[in-house]
C-alpha cells in the first residue's frame, strides 16, 4: 500500500513535481482558501457593525486602562505573561520558518522543466502565515480567530512533509522525497513541528465566560489549561501536590467550580427542554436529556470509532513482532523499530481517547446529576403533599402514583439519580461493544480465515442469552428498588418521629419493623446477585465457546496449523472479546437500573400532582380566580377538600355557602371547635386544597401583589440562627428588627441565649420551647413586608401574660396597623377587638357572624380563662457558653487511608461467627478458579506446540478440544461455588451492618438527636448502606480476585521466564507511587463529597416540612438559589474527583504502554529468544501489567467506597448511647401494680458538661393522685418529665412502684409510663395503626379509647362520612389532621396503653375549651383509680381540681401541696399566679371545691 502511494507521488524530479496535484502545493491552496474565508468574515463583520450602534461603544469600553507601560498593557491583553510568551514564541517560529523557506528557495537550483515552482508558492504560504501570526501578536482580541488560519496552514504542510520525508525513515526500501533540500528540510520540519504540535499543545486557552457581563474572578484551571494539559489532566497537578503536602485535603484547596458547570448555567440551558413548567418535559426524560446533550453524544460517536480502531494496535503489534521473530525481514516493509513505537503509541492514543471520552461522559454525568437534583427540588416545592390517603390497607401494595411521600422523594433524589448517573455511558454496550465485536471478527478473519465466522455464528446463537438475562434483571431491579423504597420510607418516618419512639420505648419494635422490610430487600438482593453470577458464567462460556469454535473450525475444517503468532495474537483478541462481552453484561445491568430509575423520576416529574396543576374541573363560565388587581380576600359559593374526589369516604369538606369576605387592613378571626376546619380555611386561601365551585359566580381570592406571610400552628423553624429565621431573606433593618423583637416578647428569651439572636436553634427548632418557636415564626411574619398575615392559632402556645402583651403591643400595634391579619384562635378576648369573625361548625360549614346575638352565643361556647402559664414545647436549657451559638456540630471527615477498623467491620461480618473459615473457603475458591484459568492458557500453548513436533494429521484435535472444554467446566464450577458462597456473606454483612446502624441510632440519646440533622442519619441509612450492599461488596471480591490472580500469574511467569520479573517489579513500583499520590487526593475529596451531599438532602427535608410557609411567603426562588449553592458545592468536588480518575488512568496506561514496547524491543534485538517462549513472555507480561494496573485501580476504588464504612462506623462508635438492656433490668411480671412515685434529691442536666436544669427535687406522689405541675417558661417542668423517663442525665433516685428506675431497662421503664407530648407525632397509615402500631388490642379497646379521648363527643354533630374512625387514613406526620385532632389521637393512644403513670405535657393546648373540659372529665372518670396522672397545663382550670400542685422555678421545687392549701399560703408563688389571672374568683372556687369544672 505504501509502495503504491509513493509511486503515485513520484520522485522529486520529473513532471509530477510541477503538477497542480503536487502535495507541496497544498499549503498554498490552504492559504488561498484562508484568504477567501477571512475576507468573507471581514465583510460580514463590517456589515453587522454598520447595523449596530451599540457595538462600537461597547467595544470602546471593553478593555480597562492598564497602568505600567505599553508592554505590561499588551501582556495583560493576552491574559498574562505565560500567554504572551507563547504568542511571542509562535511569532518568532513563524518568522523563522518563512525566512528558512525563502533562503532554501534562493539557494535551490531551479529545474528547467518546471511549469509551476512549488518552493515559491510554499514560500508565499509561509509568508502569509507569518503575517497572520504577526497580526495576531499585535491584535490579541482577534488572535484566536487569526491563529486558526495560520495553524491550519502549518498543519497541512507538516502532514505533507511527514508523509513524504518522515514515514520513509521507518521502511527498508524508501527514502525521503525531499532529501535534496539538505539541512533546510529538517529545519523546516522541526519548525513546522514546533508551530503545529508543540505551540498549540502547550499554549494556554483563553477563558471565555458563560456570561460576559459576570466573568469569574478566578477561572477554573480546566478552562484555561493547554491542550496537552487537558489530554494528560496535568491541570490537576496542583491538587495532587496540595494533597501530598497536607494530612487532609480541604475543600478550600480545590479549584473553583467552572461557570459552565454551575447549576444556574445548566438549568437555564436545560429547563426549556426537560421542565414541564418551563415549556418542556413533554417527552420521556431520557429523550429530553438526550436532546440537552445531543452535541456531546454526536461527538462520542467518532471518538468511540477511533478508540475501537486504536484498541487493536496492541494485538497487531504482537502479531507483527512475533511474525518478525519467526521469519526475519522476509516480506517486511517496515523496520521493527516501527512496531516497537507502535506498541507504545497505539495503546497511548487509545488511552488518551478512552480517558477523554470518559472525562466528557463524567462531566456530562455530573451535570445531569446537578440538573435532576435541582429539578427534583424545584418540583418538590410545587408538589401537592396530599393530606388524605387512598384508604388502602397497610399490607396492600401501593401503586407508584400514590402520594408524594418524603421517603419516595428521598429515594428518588439519592438512589435513583445515582443509578441514572451510573447509566449515562449507555453507548458502551449499545454502540462501542458491537463495533468492537465487528472489528474483532475482521481482525480474526485476517489471521484465521473464514473460521472466524464460525466463532461469529456461535456468538449469534448465544446472543439471545444476554437479552433474556437483561429482561430478568430489569424485573428484579425494579422490585428491588421498590423494596428499598419501602424500607427507606419506614426509616425516614421513624427518624422523623424518633423522639416519640424513644419516649414510648418502641425502639425494639420499630427496629423489628424495619428489619422485616430489610429482609424483603435482601431477598431481592440475593436474586440480583444470583443473576449476576449467571451473567458472569454466561459471559465466560460465550467467549470460550466462540474461541473453541473458531480454533476447532480452523484446525478441523480448514486443516490449518496453529502457529505461535496466530495463537498469541488471536488469544489476545479473544481475551478482549471476553472483556467486551463482560462489559455488555455489566453495562446492561447498570443501564437497566438506570432505565428503571429514569422511569421513576420521569413519572414523578411528569405526573406528580402540583399546586399549579389544573386538576380541578371548573365548568365553563365560572370565574374561579378574581382579576389580579382585585383586592378582595375571601370566597363565594365554594367547596374545598383534601381530595380531588369529594365523594371519597372520610374526606373533609369546607363549604362556603354564600359570600365570605375578610376586611382588608383589619383584624379578622376564624373560630370554631377543634377539627372544624379553621386551618383548612387558611389552606384554601393559599390554594393548597382542591376547589369545587358550587355556582356560576363561585370564586376564591388571596391577592399576592402585596405579599403574604403565613404562620403555621406547628411552627416551622429552619436549622439556622434566630436572626436568620426572623429575617427569612428580608434585608436587615436594625430599628424595625428591635421593634419586632420587643413586640413579639422575644427580648428576654434572646438575652438568655448564649449568643443572643445568633444562636443556632437546631433542626426544626428542637432547642426551642413551643412558645419560643411560635413567637419566632410570628416575628418572621411581622418583620416581613407582607400586607396580608395568615396566623394559625399562634396564641395557643403562649401564656396569658405573653398573649396579652402580644395582642396589645403587636396585633393592635403600629407594626400591624393597616395590614390585613387573619387569625385562627380560641382566645375569646380577641372577639371584641376583631373587625370580622368567621365561624366554622363541626361539619365544615363557614359563615360570617355579627357582633349581636350570634357573636354572644359564640363567645360563650369558646369562652376560656386566660390563665395559661407556659409554652407548648419542653424547655431545653441553653447550656452552651460558646459565644458563637453553634448547636449542630460540623460533620467530621476522616483523614488518611481508610482505617483497618472500618474495613474489618465489613470483612468480619461477611463470615458471621466464623469469619476466618469463611475467608479461607472464599480464597480457596478464587485461587482454584485462577489456577484453572491459567492452566487454560498453558494448555492452548501446549496444543499449538504440538504442530511444531508432530505432523498435523497426528494431532488429535477432538482430544484437545475435549480437554479444554473439561478445564472450562471445572473453572465454572469453582467460580460458581466461590461467588455464591461469597454472596451469602454479603447478605449476612449487609443485614448485620444495617441492624447495628439502626440499633445505634435508635438507642442514642435525645441530646445527640438534637445536635445531628436527620438528613445525615438518612444518608447513612440510604446512600451508605446502598454502597455496602452494592459496589463495596463487589469491589472487595474484585480486589481479592485480581490480586490473587496477579500473584499466581507472576509466580508462574517467573518460573517460565525469570526475565519477565523485571517489568513486573518496575511497573509495581512506579504504579504504587502514582497510586499513592492519587489516593492521597482522591480519598479526602470523596469523603468531602459524601459530606457535601447531606446538606442537599437536609435542604430538601426542610423545604418539605415548611412547604406551605415557603409557598405562602413566595420564597421559592430563595430556596431554589440556596439549593443551587449546595448542589454547586457538591458538583465542585465531584468534578475534581472524576478528573483525578482520569489523571490516574492516563499515567498508568502510559506506563503499561512503555513497558510493553520496551519488552518488544528486548525480544526483537535479542534474537536468541525462542519464538514461542518470546510470544508467551510478551503475552503474559502484558497480562501482568494489566492485572497490576487493575489491582491498583480496584484497590483505590475499594478504599474510596470504604468511606461509607467509615461513616457508618462513626455512628456506631461516637453517638452517646443509652444503657443496653440486661437480664437484671427486667422488672417482675406484675410490675407496676400501682402508680406510686417517689423522688429523692433528683438533679438533671442535658449533657455531661452542661448546667443543671433540676436541683435536688424531693417529693412523693401516691398511687392514683392527680398532680399538676406549674411554673413559668424555663422553670424545668418538661425537664422533670424527661427525667422520669431517664431521657436526660440524672442524679438522685426515682422510685416507681417501689423499684428504683436506675435498676430498670429503659424499654421496661418507658413502656410502662405514657407521656403525651405537646406536639404529637403520628405515623402514616390508619388511626388504628397509630393507636395500636403493633396489633396488640381489639377494636373495642381502641374505640373505647377514642371515646374517652373526647373524639366521639367532638364529632357528635358531624356528618357520618366526615367522622374520624379507626379506618380513617393519616397522612405522613398527620398532616391531614388539625393539631387539636392530633392531640386527641395522641391522648387516645395513651389511654390504650393503660399505664399506671400518665404524663400530660401540654396535651390539650391546641384544643378548644369545650373539648378540653370533656377530655378532663373523661380522664377523671375513665382512668383507673390507681393510675397516677401528672399534668403540665397552660390553663390553670385544667389543674385547679388536682390532688396536688407542684410549683417549679429555675429547676427548684418551690411548693408542693394541694391547691386549697397553696392558695391559702400568703406570699406563695402559686397564689400569686392565681391572683394574676383574670378569672381568679373561678379558680379560687374550684380549689375550694365550691365549683365543679
Amino acid at each position: 500500500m505504501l509502495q503504491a502511494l509513493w509511486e503515485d507521488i513520484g520522485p522529486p524530479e520529473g513532471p509530477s513535481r510541477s503538477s497542480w496535484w503536487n502535495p507541496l502545493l497544498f499549503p498554498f491552496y490552504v492559504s488561498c482558501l484562508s484568504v477567501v474565508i477571512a475576507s468573507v468574515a471581514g465583510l460580514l463583520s463590517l456589515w453587522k457593525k454598520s447595523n449596530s450602534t451599540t457595538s462600537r461603544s461597547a467595544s470602546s469600553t471593553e478593555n480597562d486602562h492598564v497602568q505600567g507601560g505599553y508592554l505590561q498593557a499588551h501582556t495583560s491583553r493576552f491574559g498574562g505573561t505565560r500567554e504572551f510568551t507563547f504568542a511571542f514564541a509562535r511569532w518568532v517560529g513563524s518568522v523563522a520558518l518563512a525566512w528558512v523557506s525563502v533562503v532554501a528557495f534562493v539557494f535551490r537550483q531551479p529545474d528547467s522543466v518546471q511549469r509551476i515552482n512549488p518552493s515559491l508558492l510554499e514560500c508565499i504560504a509561509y509568508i502569509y502565515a507569518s503575517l497572520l501570526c504577526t497580526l495576531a501578536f499585535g491584535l490579541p482580541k482577534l488572535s484566536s480567530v487569526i491563529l486558526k488560519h495560520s495553524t491550519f496552514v502549518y498543519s497541512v504542510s507538516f502532514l505533507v512533509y511527514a508523509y513524504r520525508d518522515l514515514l520513509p525513515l521507518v521502511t527498508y526500501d524508501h527514502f525521503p522525497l525531499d532529501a535534496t533540500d539538505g539541512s533546510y528540510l529538517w529545519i523546516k520540519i522541526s519548525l513546522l513541528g514546533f508551530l503545529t504540535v508543540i505551540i498549540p499543545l502547550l499554549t494556554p486557552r483563553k477563558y471565555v465566560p458563560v456570561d460576559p457581563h459576570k466573568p469569574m474572578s478566578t477561572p477554573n484551571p480546566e478552562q484555561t489549561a493547554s491542550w496537552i494539559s487537558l489530554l494528560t489532566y496535568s491541570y490537576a497537578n496542583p491538587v495532587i501536590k496540595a494533597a501530598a503536602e497536607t494530612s487532609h485535603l480541604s475543600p478550600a484547596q480545590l479549584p473553583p467550580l467552572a461557570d459552565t458547570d454551575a447549576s444556574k448555567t445548566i438549568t437555564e440551558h436545560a429547563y426549556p427542554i426537560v421542565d414541564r413548567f418551563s415549556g418542556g418535559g413533554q417527552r420521556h426524560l431520557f429523550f429530553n436529556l438526550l436532546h440537552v446533550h445531543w452535541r456531546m453524544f454526536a461527538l462520542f460517536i467518532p471518538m468511540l470509532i477511533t478508540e475501537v480502531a486504536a484498541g487493536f494496535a496492541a494485538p497487531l503489534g504482537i502479531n507483527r513482532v512475533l511474525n518478525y521473530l519467526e521469519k526475519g525481514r522476509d516480506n517486511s516493509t517496515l523496520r521493527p523499530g516501527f512496531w516497537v513505537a507502535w506498541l507504545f503509541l497505539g495503546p497511548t492514543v487509545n488511552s488518551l481517547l478512552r480517558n477523554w471520552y470518559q472525562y466528557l461522559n463524567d462531566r456530562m454525568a455530573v451535570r445531569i446529576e446537578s440538573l435532576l437534583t435541582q429539578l427534583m427540588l424545584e418540583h418538590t416545592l410545587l408538589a401537592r403533599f396530599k393530606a388524605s390517603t387512598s384508604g388502602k390497607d397497610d399490607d396492600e401494595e401501593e401503586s407508584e402514583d400514590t402520594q408524594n411521600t418524603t421517603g419516595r422523594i428521598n429515594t428518588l433524589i439519592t438512589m435513583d439519580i445515582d443509578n441514572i448517573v451510573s447509566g449515562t455511558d449507555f453507548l458502551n454496550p449499545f454502540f462501542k461493544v458491537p463495533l468492537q465485536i465487528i472489528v474483532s471478527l475482521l481482525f480474526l478473519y485476517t489471521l484465521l480465515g473464514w473460521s472466524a465466522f464460525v466463532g461469529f455464528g456461535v456468538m449469534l446463537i448465544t446472543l439471545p442469552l444476554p437479552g433474556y438475562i437483561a429482561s430478568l434483571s430489569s424485573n428484579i431491579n425494579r422490585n428491588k428498588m421498590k423494596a428499598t423504597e419501602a424500607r427507606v420510607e419506614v426509616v425516614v418516618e421513624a427518624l422523623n418521629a424518633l423522639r416519640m419512639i424513644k419516649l414510648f420505648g418502641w425502639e425494639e419494635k420499630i427496629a423489628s419493623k424495619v428489619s422485616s422490610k430489610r429482609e424483603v430487600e435482601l431477598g431481592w438482593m440475593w436474586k440480583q446477585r444470583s443473576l449476576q453470577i449467571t451473567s458472569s458464567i454466561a459471559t465466560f462460556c460465550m467467549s470460550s465457546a466462540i474461541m473453541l469454535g473458531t480454533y476447532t473450525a480452523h484446525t478441523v475444517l480448514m486443516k490449518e496449523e496453529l502457529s505461535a503468532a496466530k495463537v498469541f495474537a488471536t488469544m489476545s483478541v479473544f481475551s478482549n472479546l471476553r472483556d467486551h462481552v463482560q462489559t455488555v453484561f455489566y453495562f446492561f445491568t447498570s443501564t437497566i437500573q438506570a432505565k428503571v430509575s429514569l422511569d421513576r423520576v420521569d413519572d414523578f416529574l411528569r405526573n406528580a400532582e402540583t399546586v399549579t396543576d389544573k386538576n380541578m374541573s371548573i365548568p365553563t363560565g365560572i370565574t374561579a380566580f378574581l382579576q389580579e388587581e382585585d383586592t378582595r380576600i375571601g370566597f363565594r359559593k365554594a367547596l374545598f377538600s383534601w381530595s380531588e374526589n369529594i365523594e371519597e369516604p372520610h374526606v373533609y369538606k369546607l363549604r362556603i355557602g354564600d359570600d365570605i369576605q375578610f376586611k382588608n387592613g383589619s383584624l379578622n378571626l376564624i373560630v370554631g371547635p377543634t377539627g372544624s376546619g379553621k386551618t383548612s380555611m387558611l389552606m384554601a386561601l393559599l390554594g393548597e386544597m382542591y376547589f369545587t365551585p358550587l355556582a356560576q359566580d363561585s370564586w376564591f381570592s388571596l391577592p399576592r401583589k402585596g405579599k403574604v406571610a403565613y404562620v403555621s400552628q406547628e411552627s416551622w423553624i429552619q436549622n439556622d440562627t434566630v436572626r436568620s429565621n426572623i429575617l427569612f431573606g428580608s434585608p436587615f433593618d436594625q430599628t424595625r428588627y428591635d421593634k419586632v423583637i420587643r413586640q413579639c416578647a422575644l427580648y428576654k428569651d434572646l438575652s438568655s441565649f448564649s449568643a443572643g439572636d445568633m444562636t443556632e436553634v437546631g433542626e426544626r427548632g428542637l432547642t426551642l420551647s413551643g412558645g419560643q418557636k411560635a413567637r419566632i415564626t410570628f416575628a418572621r411574619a411581622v418583620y416581613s413586608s407582607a400586607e396580608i398575615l395568615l396566623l394559625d392559632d399562634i396564641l395557643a402556645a403562649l401564656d396569658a401574660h405573653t398573649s396579652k402583651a402580644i395582642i396589645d403591643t403587636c396585633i393592635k400595634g403600629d407594626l400591624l396597623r393597616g395590614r390585613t391579619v387573619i387569625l385562627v384562635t380560641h382566645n375569646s378576648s380577641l372577639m371584641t377587638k376583631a373587625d370580622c369573625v368567621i365561624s366554622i361548625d363541626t361539619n365544615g360549614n363557614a359563615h360570617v357572624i355579627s357582633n349581636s346575638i350570634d357573636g354572644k352565643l359564640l363567645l360563650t361556647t369558646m369562652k376560656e380563662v386566660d390563665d395559661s402559664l407556659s409554652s407548648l414545647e419542653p424547655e431545653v436549657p441553653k447550656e452552651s457558653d460558646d459565644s458563637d451559638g453553634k448547636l449542630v456540630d460540623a460533620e467530621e471527615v476522616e483523614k488518611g487511608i481508610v482505617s483497618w477498623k472500618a474495613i474489618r467491620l465489613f470483612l468480619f461480618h461477611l463470615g458471621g461467627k466464623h469469619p476466618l473459615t469463611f475467608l479461607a473457603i472464599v480464597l480457596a475458591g478464587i485461587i482454584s478458579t485462577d489456577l484453572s484459568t491459567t492452566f487454560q492458557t498453558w494448555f492452548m500453548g501446549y496444543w499449538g506446540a504440538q504442530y511444531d513436533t508432530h505432523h498435523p494429521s497426528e494431532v488429535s484435535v477432538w482430544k484437545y478440544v475435549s480437554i479444554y472444554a473439561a478445564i472450562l467446566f471445572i473453572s465454572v464450577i469453582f467460580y460458581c461455588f466461590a461467588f455464591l458462597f461469597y454472596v451469602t456473606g454479603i447478605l449476612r454483612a449487609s443485614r448485620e451492618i444495617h441492624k447495628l446502624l439502626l440499633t445505634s441510632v435508635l438507642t442514642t440519646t435525645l441530646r445527640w438527636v438534637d445536635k445531628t440533622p436527620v438528613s445525615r442519619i438518612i444518608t447513612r441509612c440510604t446512600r451508605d448502606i446502598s454502597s455496602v450492599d452494592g459496589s463495596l461488596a463487589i469491589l472487595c471480591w474484585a480486589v481479592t480476585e485480581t490480586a490473587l490472580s496477579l500473584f499466581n500469574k507472576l509466580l508462574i511467569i517467573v518460573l517460565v521466564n525469570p526475565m519477565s520479573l523485571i517489568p513486573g517489579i518496575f511497573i509495581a513500583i512506579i504504579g504504587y507511587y502514582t497510586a499513592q499520590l492519587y489516593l492521597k487526593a482522591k480519598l479526602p475529596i470523596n469523603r468531602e463529597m459524601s459530606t457535601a451531599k447531606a446538606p442537599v438532602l437536609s435542604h430538601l427535608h426542610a423545604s418539605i416540612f415548611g412547604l406551605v410557609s415557603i409557598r405562602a411567603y413566595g420564597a421559592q426562588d430563595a430556596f431554589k438559589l440556596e439549593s443551587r449553592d449546595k448542589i454547586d458545592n457538591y458538583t465542585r468536588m465531584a468534578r475534581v474527583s472524576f478528573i483525578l480518575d482520569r489523571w490516574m488512568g492516563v499515567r498508568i496506561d502510559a506506563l503499561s504502554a512503555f513497558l510493553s514496547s520496551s519488552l518488544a524491543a528486548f525480544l526483537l534485538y535479542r534474537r536468541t529468544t525462542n519464538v514461542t517462549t518470546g510470544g508467551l513472555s510478551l503475552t503474559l507480561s502484558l497480562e501482568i501489567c494489566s492485572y497490576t494496573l487493575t489491582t491498583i485501580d480496584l484497590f483505590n476504588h475499594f478504599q474510596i467506597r470504604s468511606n461509607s464504612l467509615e461513616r457508618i462506623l462513626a455512628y456506631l462508635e461516637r453517638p452517646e448511647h443509652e444503657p443496653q438492656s440486661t437480664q437484671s433490668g427486667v422488672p417482675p411480671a406484675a410490675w407496676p401494680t400501682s402508680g406510686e412515685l417517689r423522688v429523692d434529691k433528683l438533679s438533671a442536666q442535658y449533657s455531661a458538661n452542661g448546667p443543671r436544669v433540676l436541683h435536688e427535687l424531693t417529693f412523693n406522689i401516691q398511687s392514683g393522685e392527680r398532680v399538676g405541675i406549674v411554673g413559668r417558661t424555663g422553670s424545668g417542668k418538661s425537664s422533670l418529665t424527661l427525667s422520669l423517663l431517664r431521657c436526660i442525665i440524672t442524679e438522685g433516685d426515682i422510685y416507681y412502684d417501689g423499684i428504683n428506675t436506675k435498676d430498670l431497662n429503659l424499654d421496661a421503664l418507658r413502656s410502662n409510663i405514657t407521656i403525651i407530648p405537646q406536639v404529637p407525632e403520628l405515623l402514616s397509615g390508619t388511626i388504628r395503626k397509630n393507636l395500636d402500631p403493633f396489633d396488640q388490642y381489639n377494636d373495642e379497646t381502641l374505640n373505647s379509647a377514642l371515646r374517652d379521648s373526647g373524639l366521639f363527643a367532638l364529632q357528635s354533630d358531624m356528618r357520618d362520612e366526615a367522622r374520624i374512625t379507626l379506618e380513617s387514613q393519616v397522612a405522613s406526620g398527620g398532616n391531614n389532621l388539625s393539631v387539636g385532632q392530633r392531640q386527641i389521637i395522641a391522648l387516645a393512644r395513651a389511654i390504650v396503653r393503660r399505664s399506671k403513670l400518665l404524663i400530660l405535657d401540654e396535651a390539650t393546648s391546641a384544643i378548644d375549651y369545650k373539648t378540653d373540659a370533656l377530655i378532663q372529665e373523661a380522664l377523671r372518670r375513665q382512668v383507673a383509680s390507681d393510675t397516677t396522672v401528672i399534668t403540665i397545663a397552660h390553663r390553670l382550670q385544667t389543674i385547679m381540681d388536682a390532688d396536688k400542685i407542684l410549683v417549679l422555678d429555675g429547676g427548684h421545687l418551690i411548693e408542693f401541696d394541694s391547691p386549697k392549701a397553696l392558695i391559702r399560703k400568703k406570699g406563695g408563688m402559686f397564689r400569686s399566679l392565681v391572683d394574676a389571672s383574670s378569672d381568679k374568683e373561678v379558680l379560687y372556687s374550684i380549689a375550694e371545691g365550691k365549683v365543679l369544672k
Side-chain angles (χ1 to χ4, degrees), residues 159-279:
L159 290 175
V160 168
Y161 278 110
Y163 187 74
R164 290 170 60 86
D165 302 301
L166 294 181
L167 193 57
L169 297 177
V170 300
T171 67
Y172 285 111
D173 307 322
H174 302 286
F175 304 95
L177 298 181
D178 300 302
T180 55
D181 288 345
S183 59
Y184 293 114
L185 171 65
W186 308 113
I187 294 175
K188 283 196 292 185
I189 292 176
S190 300
L191 289 172
L192 284 170
F194 176 76
L195 293 169
T196 304
V197 180
I198 297 177
I199 289 295
L201 287 180
L202 296 180
T203 301
R205 294 175 302 129
K206 185 178 180 180
Y207 165 60
V208 180
V210 173
D211 185 355
H213 301 290
K214 296 179 180 179
M216 297 178 64
S217 57
T218 305
N220 187 293
E222 181 184 353
Q223 295 177 286
T224 58
S226 63
W227 278 106
I228 190 65
S229 180
L230 277 177
L231 292 172
T232 60
Y233 311 95
S234 299
Y235 56 87
N237 286 344
V239 177
I240 298 291
K241 181 181 178 182
E245 295 174 349
T246 183
S247 59
H248 179 78
L249 190 67
S250 66
Q253 295 173 285
L254 300 182
L257 180 69
D259 49 6
T260 53
D261 295 323
S263 179
K264 180 177 183 292
T265 304
I266 296 170
T267 53
E268 286 178 353
H269 170 64
Y271 268 25
I273 300 172
V274 301
D275 184 20
R276 62 177 169 134
F277 299 112
S278 301

Side-chain angles (χ1 to χ4, degrees), residues 530-577:
S530 299
L531 195 64
Q532 183 178 348
I533 184 64
T534 304
S535 173
S536 298
I537 293 171
T539 301
F540 185 78
C541 292
M542 283 178 62
S543 58
S544 299
I546 293 169
M547 182 172 64
L548 204 58
T550 304
Y551 285 149
T552 302
H554 188 72
T555 54
V556 176
L557 301 180
M558 295 182 65
K559 307 297 183 181
E560 296 285 345
E561 300 179 11
L562 288 175
S563 63
K566 289 180 180 179
V567 168
F568 291 114
T570 55
M571 283 192 69
S572 176
V573 176
F574 281 124
S575 177
N576 290 336
L577 190 61

Side-chain angles (χ1 to χ4, degrees), residues 777-791:
T777 53
F778 178 50
R780 176 195 298 158
V782 174
Y783 185 85
S784 72
S785 60
E787 295 180 0
I788 302 173
L789 280 68
L790 307 181
L791 312 177

